[in-house]
């Protein structure tokens, strides 16, 4: 079963600030554990929304609307993701619970979603 651990953005990540060395080391260790367990498929961080483009469809009879970032609500944005292949939702949750606070300083939030 494929699951995506979606790392939500924070004001700090949206500012383009890199995590502390301590957090980068902790995330490296966590990713190495995922690889050693044979469950990690992919892990990537994303640029801040200031480099992004949003395409919305407010009217089904008209062309989509293109909006360049940055986007205001950082808690609705994604800073990165890890894709894992595990046997159950419970196992995915166990791996998610082992992730260090991905933003540090109590700002981190992870969303766990199963992939179709």
């Amino acid at each position: 079963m494929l699951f995506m651990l979606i790392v939500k953005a924070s004001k700090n990540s949206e500012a383009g600030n890199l995590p502390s060395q301590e957090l980068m080391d902790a995330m490296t260790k966590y990713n190495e554990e995922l690889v050693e367990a044979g469950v990690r498929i992919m892990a990537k961080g994303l640029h801040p929304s200031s480099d992004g483009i949003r395409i919305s469809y407010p009217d089904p009879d008209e062309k989509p609307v293109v909006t360049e970032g940055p986007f205001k609500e950082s808690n609705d944005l994604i800073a990165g993701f890890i894709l894992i292949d595990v046997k159950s939702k419970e196992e995915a949750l166990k791996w998610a619970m082992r992730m260090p606070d991905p933003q540090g300083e109590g700002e981190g939030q992870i969303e766990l979603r199963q992939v179709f």
Side-chain angles (χ1 to χ4, degrees), residues 20-108:
S20 69
Q21 187 61 48
E22 180 181 31
L23 178 54
M24 288 185 4
D25 292 345
M27 289 301 289
T28 297
K29 182 177 185 257
Y30 175 71
N31 273 282
E32 288 171 352
E33 291 170 356
L34 290 169
V35 170
E36 288 171 13
V39 299
R40 192 183 91 172
I41 304 298
M42 176 186 282
K44 295 290 180 184
L46 302 174
H47 287 261
S49 71
S50 58
D51 292 336
I53 297 172
R54 181 174 286 163
I55 301 157
S56 56
Y57 301 83
D59 188 337
D61 297 328
E62 294 184 18
K63 289 183 179 180
V65 175
V66 176
T67 307
E68 292 191 26
F71 307 119
K72 295 183 192 268
E73 295 299 322
S74 63
N75 61 342
D76 291 336
L77 300 174
I78 298 170
F81 67 92
I82 299 174
L83 186 63
I84 59 174
D85 189 2
V86 294
K87 291 183 172 65
S88 67
K89 186 176 188 177
E90 292 75 24
E91 184 181 358
L93 179 58
K94 285 180 184 177
W95 279 110
M97 294 295 293
R98 290 177 62 178
M99 183 187 290
D101 176 349
Q103 297 296 343
E105 302 182 31
E107 292 186 348

